[in-house]
């Protein structure tokens, strides 16, 4: 293998040298032909000038001599041009042969072949290394062929298999390089983030404490956590208003019930499912106990509802800057009252009316006709109901 390559390189070097010599010779001939052509052109120009000057006084023999000299000059120029064309052709042929020999030797261009040329010392060193390898190989084979190491040589490795393993190794290497690049970028990013992370960790306890405080406050506002009444903030605000309404309604209810009942705001829910804060209880002045409003009778419930409506009107009037509610309509419920309770309720309504409010009562109770001066009666008939105004 190495000897054949060295022989091919030596032959190529000789060819290159021959080609270079031929190319130099052709270039020299071409230069000489060009020089001669230039000289003949100068001679022709000189003769042409002389001919122009002497046209007026023609000397035929001399003119013939000059024409013959001019023709000879043209012949010399033609020969020079032919020599130059031949030189160009030879140069092109030499270049083609050089390229063919370089390609046959495995080189892309003659320049590549020239760069691959080695001197005689390199060839000697290569031959020495080859001889040493041959001797070492022979010694190893002799050693392996001995009785103590009589083992068969391993079969030659499969080139396609080796190439496949090489390709896989290259792929694994490229993947490793890509992973290394990604890891390096991430490491750099982490290095940039470490100061921010350290600062955030340092601030984390204070933030956790603030978050715990805010969460506790939110739980308290929502009626959970440490809120012993399980009362949301919105319910707490409404409870405050309800307490005002209950206080105002108690004044009316106490008058209507003959001093027996007053309303009391309660913070406890009626059961586990209901929220605390919006409860009402009735305080019975006769027994001294508080009880749920559901224990009231029908008439007592009506008086309580009416007292709440009047108390709410009073609170709204106070909160709206003195703008009073001038009209109040009470629909039914009077039939549930006994005579004494009815008188007490009407006394309260008469007080409202005397204070300038319009109080309307919708009822079927006949006794109310004697207490209400201005009336609007609804009469039923065959053709439908009719309305008429009346007085007590």
């Amino acid at each position: 293998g190495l000897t054949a390559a060295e022989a091919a390189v030596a032959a190529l070097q000789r060819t290159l040298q021959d080609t270079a010599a031929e190319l130099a010779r052709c270039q020299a001939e071409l230069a000489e032909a060009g020089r001669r052509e230039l000289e003949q052109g100068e001679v022709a120009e000189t003769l042409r000038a002389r001919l122009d000057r002497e046209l007026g006084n023609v000397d035929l023999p001399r003119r013939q001599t000059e024409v013959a000299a001019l023709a000879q000059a043209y012949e010399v120029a033609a020969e020079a041009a032919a020599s130059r064309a031949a030189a160009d052709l030879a140069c092109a042929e030499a270049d083609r042969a050089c390229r063919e020999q370089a390609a046959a030797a495995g080189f892309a261009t003659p320049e590549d072949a020239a760069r691959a040329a080695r001197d005689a010392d390199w060839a000697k060193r290569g031959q020495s290394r080859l001889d040493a390898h041959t001797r070492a190989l022979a010694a190893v084979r002799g050693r392996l062929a001995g009785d103590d190491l009589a083992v068969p040589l391993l079969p030659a490795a499969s080139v396609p298999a080796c190439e496949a393993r090489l390709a896989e190794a290259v792929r694994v290497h490229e993947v490793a390089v890509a992973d290394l690049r990604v890891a390096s970028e991430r490491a750099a990013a982490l290095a940039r983030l470490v100061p921010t992370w350290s600062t955030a960790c340092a601030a984390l306890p204070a933030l956790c404490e603030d978050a715990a405080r805010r969460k506790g406050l939110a739980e308290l506002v929502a009626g959970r956590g440490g809120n012993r009444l399980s009362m949301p903030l919105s319910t707490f605000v409404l409870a405050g208003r309800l307490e005002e309404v209950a206080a105002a309604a108690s004044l009316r209810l106490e008058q209507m019930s003959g001093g027996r009942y007053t309303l009391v705001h309660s913070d406890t829910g009626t059961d586990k499912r209901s929220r605390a804060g919006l409860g009402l209880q009735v305080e019975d002045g006769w027994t001294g106990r508080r009880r749920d409003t559901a224990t009231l009778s029908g008439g007592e419930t009506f008086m309580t509802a009416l007292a709440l409506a009047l108390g709410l009107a009073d609170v709204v009037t106070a909160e709206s800057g003195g703008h009073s509610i001038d009209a109040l309509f009470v629909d039914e419920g009077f039939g549930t009252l006994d005579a004494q309770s009815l008188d007490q309720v009407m006394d309260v309504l008469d007080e409202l009316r005397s204070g300038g409010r319009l109080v309307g009562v919708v009822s079927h109770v006949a006794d109310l006709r004697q207490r209400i001066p201005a009336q609007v009666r609804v009469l039923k008939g065959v053709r439908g109901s009719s309305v008429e105004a009346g007085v007590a």
Side-chain angles (χ1 to χ4, degrees), residues 289-362:
R289 296 181 179 179
R290 293 183 182 181
R291 52 194 175 95
D292 192 82
T293 55
T295 62
L296 296 175
S297 64
E300 293 171 343
T301 301
F302 170 74
M303 287 190 297
T304 302
L306 180 59
L308 283 172
L310 297 177
L312 179 61
D314 292 339
V315 172
V316 171
T317 299
E319 293 292 337
S320 61
H323 296 286
S324 62
I325 300 177
D326 296 329
L328 176 66
F329 287 87
V330 182
D331 185 7
E332 290 300 339
F334 293 96
T336 61
L337 302 176
D338 54 42
Q340 182 181 358
S341 298
L342 180 60
D343 289 339
Q344 294 171 348
V345 170
M346 291 304 299
D347 289 341
V348 173
L349 296 180
D350 287 339
E351 289 180 6
L352 295 176
R353 186 169 56 83
S354 63
R357 290 184 178 178
L358 172 64
V359 180
V361 176
V362 180

Side-chain angles (χ1 to χ4, degrees), residues 34 41 89 120 122 130 181 190 203 205 210 248 257 259 263 281 295 307 317 327 353 379:
L89 182 60
W122 179 85
L130 181 60
R181 182 173 62 254
L190 288 175
D210 183 67
S257 63
L263 290 173
Q281 290 183 337
T295 62
T317 299
R353 186 169 56 83
L379 304 177

Side-chain angles (χ1 to χ4, degrees), residues 138-150:
V140 171
R141 286 179 176 176
R143 178 65 175 166
L144 293 175
D147 295 336
D148 53 346
L149 295 175

Side-chain angles (χ1 to χ4, degrees), residues 121-144:
D121 293 337
W122 179 85
K124 290 179 180 180
R125 290 194 301 271
Q127 187 62 43
S128 299
R129 291 175 59 190
L130 181 60
D131 293 341
H133 176 72
T134 302
R135 290 192 298 271
L137 181 61
V140 171
R141 286 179 176 176
R143 178 65 175 166
L144 293 175

